[in-house]
Amino acid sequence: MNKDWHSDHFCCWQCDTALTGQRYILRDDHPYCIKCYEDVFANQCDECGKPIGIDSKDLSYKEKHWHEDCFLCNMCKISLVDKPFGSKNDRIFCSNCYDQAFATRCDGCNEIFRAGMKKMEYKGKQWHDKCFCCALCKSPIGTKSFIPKNEEVYCATCYEEKFATRCSKCRKVITTGGVTYKNEPWHRECFCCTNCNASLAGQRFTSKDEKPYCANCYGELFAKRCNACVKPITGIGGAKFISFEDRHWHNDCFICAQCTTTLVGKGFITDGPDILCPDCAKARLMAANA
C-alpha cells in the first residue's frame, strides 16, 4: 500500500486483528481480514442463501448473485455457466427449458418459435411460415392474399372453389351482378327465358313447372286466349280477365257484341258465341220472333 506500519499496527479495519503474514482484502484503501470482508461485503447466493466467499466465483445477473455451483437451470438443474439462459419471474432457465415453458407456440403445429424463425400473425394467432397454409389445399400462403372463414384461412383459389356463390345454370362463380330466383343464384346473362333465351334480368316474367318464361313466350305457350281478340290472357302486371264456362275475355274485350257497351260488373246474356247486354238481347229476341 506504499505505506509503512509496525507489524502489530497492520490490522483489519473492521476487527483490528493483525494482518501481518495473513491474507487480506483491500477495500476503499482499507485492509480487511477474510472473515470481516466476507461478513461485510460478500454477496449472498440467490440459490443457497450463503455468502459468496472470496475463494468462490460470484456469478451475477440483474442484481442477483450465485455461487458457480448454484448457477443452475430452475427446471432441469443443468449448470448455466458459460451457456445461454433466459429469465422469467426472477428465475433462470436454460434455453431449452425456457423455450418449452415460455416461448410462443405456433397455432398450427404447437411447436415453439425459435430465434430467427419467420412468424406469420393474424388476429392474435401466430404460425411458422411453413404452417401458415390454406385449410383446403395445404399450400403455404406466405405473403400471398388469403381469406379467413370459420377460424381457418384459405388461399383465394380454394376459397372461391369451396365458398363462392355459383350460377345455377353455368356453375361458374358469380362475382358481380347476380340474380336470385327460387332461392338460387344466377348470372344476369344466364337467367333467361326457357323458350326464347331472352334475358329476364329486370324484365317481367312468370314460371311454369319451376321454369321461367318471358311474358310473350308464356302467353303463347300456356295462357288462355281471349274469346274476343284471341290474344293470350297472361294476368301479368295485374291485368284482369273474366271467365264464363269454358270461355275467357280480357276485361276490355268483355263487351256487348251489338252495342259494344262494357259488361264488366253487369248482367249479360249469351247468344251462341256472342255475349249481349240485357237490352240488346231483348231486342234481338223480339226481332227473331217478329
Side-chain angles (χ1 to χ4, degrees):
M1 297 170 60
N2 297 320
K3 294 182 180 180
D4 298 315
W5 310 72
H6 291 113
S7 61
D8 54 344
H9 288 167
F10 187 55
C11 301
C12 172
W13 191 261
Q14 181 77 13
C15 69
D16 286 333
T17 299
L19 298 178
T20 303
Q22 305 297 320
R23 289 198 305 164
Y24 66 91
I25 306 294
L26 196 62
R27 174 84 178 219
D28 299 329
D29 291 331
H30 300 304
Y32 293 85
C33 68
I34 301 302
K35 182 180 184 306
C36 287
Y37 182 85
E38 290 182 346
D39 289 344
V40 176
F41 300 111
N43 293 308
Q44 296 276 35
C45 177
D46 196 68
E47 178 66 21
C48 69
K50 296 177 180 179
I52 302 174
I54 63 170
D55 294 324
S56 300
K57 279 188 178 180
D58 185 341
L59 303 178
S60 64
Y61 174 73
K62 288 188 176 180
E63 299 182 356
K64 291 181 177 292
H65 301 264
W66 293 266
H67 292 105
E68 184 176 18
D69 293 340
C70 295
F71 193 55
L72 308 174
C73 171
N74 195 261
M75 289 180 66
C76 70
K77 303 306 180 183
I78 189 174
S79 174
L80 299 179
V81 177
D82 296 328
K83 293 180 180 177
F85 65 92
S87 174
K88 186 78 170 181
N89 301 327
D90 293 329
R91 295 181 296 169
I92 55 174
F93 302 86
C94 67
S95 57
N96 285 336
C97 289
Y98 184 90
D99 285 345
Q100 292 299 321
F102 307 112
T104 307
R105 292 182 176 272
C106 172
D107 283 293
C109 67
N110 202 38
E111 293 296 323
I112 62 174
F113 290 99
R114 298 190 182 277
M117 285 185 170
K118 267 189 178 180
K119 183 187 294 185
M120 312 299 292
E121 297 185 5
Y122 177 71
K123 284 193 173 180
K125 291 189 174 183
Q126 306 171 100
W127 296 266
H128 293 112
D129 188 31
K130 65 179 181 180
C131 295
F132 189 56
C133 300
C134 170
L136 191 61
C137 70
K138 306 303 180 184
S139 298
I141 292 173
T143 57
K144 295 182 290 186
S145 60
F146 64 91
I147 303 168
K149 179 77 172 181
N150 298 332
E151 303 299 322
E152 295 183 318
V153 293
Y154 296 83
C155 64
T157 301
C158 287
Y159 183 88
E160 186 176 281
E161 181 68 29
K162 188 174 179 66
F163 300 109
T165 302
R166 293 183 176 273
C167 175
S168 297
K169 181 176 181 179
C170 70
R171 303 309 303 165
K172 293 181 180 179
V173 173
I174 299 174
T175 55
T176 57
V179 173
T180 299
Y181 173 66
K182 300 276 186 191
N183 292 323
E184 293 186 347
W186 307 67
H187 288 113
R188 292 177 66 86
E189 60 272 19
C190 291
F191 186 57
C192 302
C193 172
T194 304
N195 186 55
C196 70
N197 281 328
S199 175
L200 298 179
Q203 307 297 320
R204 292 189 306 167
F205 69 93
T206 188
S207 63
K208 175 74 172 179
D209 299 328
E210 302 296 319
K211 297 178 181 179
Y213 294 86
C214 66
N216 289 337
C217 287
Y218 183 85
E220 291 298 326
L221 295 172
F222 308 112
K224 299 177 176 65
R225 293 187 176 270
C226 177
N227 200 65
C229 71
V230 197
K231 292 181 180 179
I233 301 173
T234 63
I236 293 177
K240 295 181 180 180
F241 63 94
I242 294 168
S243 295
F244 176 72
E245 294 178 344
D246 59 347
R247 290 186 287 175
H248 313 277
W249 296 265
H250 294 107
N251 261 24
D252 294 341
C253 296
F254 193 56
I255 58 178
C256 174
Q258 193 150 325
C259 68
T260 67
T261 301
T262 179
L263 298 177
V264 177
K266 299 178 181 179
F268 64 90
I269 296 169
T270 60
D271 183 20
D274 295 334
I275 53 171
L276 302 168
C277 65
D279 290 341
C280 289
K282 183 177 179 181
R284 178 178 289 189
L285 181 61
M286 292 177 63
N289 293 330

